[in-house]
Amino acid sequence: IVYLKNLSIMKANFFILTMVTMLVACAQSNINSEIISPVVLDEDVTDRLNEVFNGNNAKLRLFENQNISSSSDKPIYIIQSERDSESICPNNIDFPKIDFSKCCIIYSSIQTSSISDELLATSLYFSKERNMFYFNVSIQKCVDCWTSIGYLYPYGVYSLSPLSISNIELIIDSKE
């Protein structure tokens, strides 16, 4: 029971942190923005996606996906079909079943200066003035850690299918 209570508190804290991150990102952008709420998935599917996008999962071919944004030095990728999901997962990795007619997955790769840096939250908002989506990623930098290159793979599931990568930009918010 204590574990379940702590799990619920962690989920509530994560939700609050995500909402605060989205509000700060919108305020910093100084533009007329709409926050895009993530799709709430079954807990088993969410757990499986967390395993797939774990930075330690070296077996993935995350960046062989053809939906790559070339307009930015910060790559954005989109999974909009079962075929896309199969293209990043070798046969020995089980990608969860998702109804891509109702949603898509936006993800990226962020190189960090420490393997101890932590992904805090992701959010997505839309600028009506610029006709752009902004995928905001908050990272907690490890200040007292040895420098060792690491990677984080932030992702979000949104009901925006189909979506074009030509109007998505990655924003990285690092906190120390």
Side-chain angles (χ1 to χ4, degrees):
I1 295 175
V2 171
Y3 173 76
L4 292 176
K5 220 179 213 186
N6 288 341
L7 187 61
S8 295
I9 292 170
M10 287 173 40
K11 285 182 179 182
N13 287 342
F14 180 76
F15 177 76
I16 291 168
L17 182 60
T18 300
M19 295 309 293
V20 168
T21 301
M22 288 190 287
L23 293 173
V24 168
C26 289
Q28 287 177 342
S29 65
N30 201 19
I31 52 179
N32 184 15
S33 301
E34 172 188 349
I35 297 172
I36 309 297
S37 298
V39 172
V40 177
L41 298 171
D42 191 40
E43 190 172 336
D44 293 340
V45 173
T46 301
D47 290 346
R48 189 68 201 116
L49 282 173
N50 287 335
E51 288 176 27
V52 168
F53 289 100
N54 179 335
N56 298 323
N57 201 343
K59 296 178 182 176
L60 287 181
R61 298 183 300 256
L62 287 175
F63 307 105
E64 293 177 17
N65 187 332
Q66 298 303 308
N67 291 324
I68 298 172
S69 173
S70 57
S71 62
S72 172
D73 61 341
K74 300 172 186 173
I76 297 281
Y77 307 88
I78 304 174
I79 300 173
Q80 299 187 92
S81 69
E82 191 171 329
R83 183 176 177 195
D84 288 346
S85 69
E86 290 169 357
S87 74
I88 68 165
C89 288
N91 292 336
N92 61 339
I93 294 180
D94 182 33
F95 199 88
K97 296 292 181 202
I98 295 175
D99 185 356
F100 287 107
S101 67
K102 297 179 181 174
C103 64
C104 67
I105 299 173
I106 300 172
Y107 68 98
S108 186
S109 170
I110 299 173
Q111 183 176 341
T112 61
S113 59
S114 171
I115 58 173
S116 299
D117 289 353
E118 183 181 352
L119 179 64
L120 296 176
T122 61
S123 58
L124 184 71
Y125 62 96
F126 179 71
S127 165
K128 295 174 186 175
E129 293 174 6
R130 296 183 182 164
N131 195 32
M132 285 288 292
F133 287 94
Y134 295 92
F135 187 53
N136 192 55
V137 177
S138 293
I139 298 172
Q140 177 69 51
K141 295 277 192 184
C142 184
V143 178
D144 296 325
C145 296
W146 291 96
T147 301
S148 176
I149 301 298
Y151 289 90
L152 296 173
Y153 302 103
Y155 77 94
V157 182
Y158 301 96
S159 60
L160 298 169
S161 194
L163 185 63
S164 169
I165 55 167
S166 62
N167 67 337
I168 301 177
E169 187 176 313
L170 178 64
I171 297 173
I172 301 171
D173 179 27
S174 298
K175 300 172 184 353
E176 292 189 12

